[in-house]
Amino acid sequence: MGKIESVIETEPGRIRIATSVVDPRGANGCEAAITAIAICKSARCSFRTKLRLGFSG
């Protein structure tokens, strides 16, 4: 199972996420792909909420 290593806001409105998922490409529904997609969806949701509420830093 992968985990988030770091999240960096590279510029306003853009983030870079580093994970321990090595290669999410593979067979349909492989565990690494499911983990990578879940991490991205969660980060996107959190970041959008942060922007909507006006938090910074």
Side-chain angles (χ1 to χ4, degrees):
M1 179 78 64
K3 68 176 187 169
I4 296 174
E5 302 281 331
S6 65
V7 178
I8 300 168
E9 186 172 10
T10 58
E11 60 186 79
R14 292 191 167 265
I15 57 174
R16 177 178 296 144
I17 304 168
T19 72
S20 63
V21 175
V22 176
D23 188 359
R25 296 168 295 178
N28 290 335
C30 73
E31 185 177 349
I34 292 169
T35 299
I37 291 168
I39 288 170
C40 290
K41 285 182 178 180
S42 177
R44 183 180 65 200
C45 181
S46 295
F47 193 69
R48 284 183 178 171
T49 299
K50 176 183 170 184
L51 290 176
R52 188 173 58 247
L53 296 176
F55 290 110
S56 60

